[in-house]
Amino acid sequence: IGLDGPLHPGTQLYADRRSHILQQEARRADHATGRLDHLDSQGLADDATAARHYGSDPNLRRSADLGIQRKRIDPAAHPVRFLDTHDRLFPSHTPTWDPDRAAAIRSHDTRGREHNIISGTSNGLEYKVAKRWDEPPLPGMPNAKHQPGYRPPS
């Protein structure tokens, strides 16, 4: 009929444009097949995750069939993991009070002033330490064995 365009196979006028369109089409096809291969590989599941051989012995060391990191289970190599939270939060030792340190901190706070500037009273304090009063804890408490005077329950 006399119509010519880049989509006609025997074109002479649009031969270069037709080659560009065919190259684009080939690139898009290659990209699509690569994308589908990639999506297919992403959709695969591990045998252990999909429970494919559930109940059979995999002949692997513990959790080697799972793709996850294992925690350290050796107390000598990783002692922080085995700390007792209760003993850490509630220590069995009673911290002692140092009267000399308390006097030094008080002198820094008052900066040599011997009276309170608001009330006019004296800033002097006596630093007395009470005698230690240890009572063994009740039997069965978690820190009982660390207290002085502990007697195991009979």
Side-chain angles (χ1 to χ4, degrees), residues 3 6 13 15 21 26 39 48 55 61 64 76 83 86 90 93 96 100 118 120 133-134 145 149-150:
L3 291 177
L13 204 69
I21 290 174
L39 287 175
R61 70 186 214 302
L83 288 178
H86 189 275
F90 306 104
H93 70 280
T96 57
D100 296 329
I118 295 174
W133 184 63
D134 282 335
K145 60 186 169 196
Y150 169 72

Side-chain angles (χ1 to χ4, degrees), residues 23-85:
Q23 287 174 3
Q24 261 184 342
E25 191 177 316
R27 277 197 305 268
R28 286 181 182 161
D30 288 344
H31 179 75
T33 56
R35 181 176 176 272
L36 287 176
D37 291 341
H38 177 72
L39 287 175
D40 187 45
S41 70
Q42 293 295 318
L44 297 177
D46 194 359
D47 287 344
T49 308
R52 287 200 183 98
H53 303 289
Y54 184 75
S56 63
D57 186 18
N59 295 325
L60 298 171
R61 70 186 214 302
R62 183 175 167 238
S63 74
D65 54 344
L66 296 177
I68 57 175
Q69 181 180 3
R70 294 218 33 223
K71 292 184 178 177
R72 303 286 302 263
I73 56 171
D74 185 16
H78 197 75
V80 177
R81 184 165 186 257
F82 295 90
L83 288 178
D84 186 10
T85 306

Side-chain angles (χ1 to χ4, degrees), residues 82-129:
F82 295 90
L83 288 178
D84 186 10
T85 306
H86 189 275
D87 286 343
R88 187 175 52 81
L89 293 177
F90 306 104
S92 58
H93 70 280
T94 35
T96 57
W97 181 66
D98 186 10
D100 296 329
R101 183 174 182 272
I105 291 174
R106 175 77 177 163
S107 73
H108 291 276
D109 284 345
T110 57
R111 297 186 183 141
R113 293 186 295 266
E114 298 188 10
H115 67 283
N116 187 336
I117 60 172
I118 295 174
S119 64
T121 58
S122 172
N123 269 340
L125 285 178
E126 287 186 39
Y127 297 99
K128 296 180 181 179
V129 180

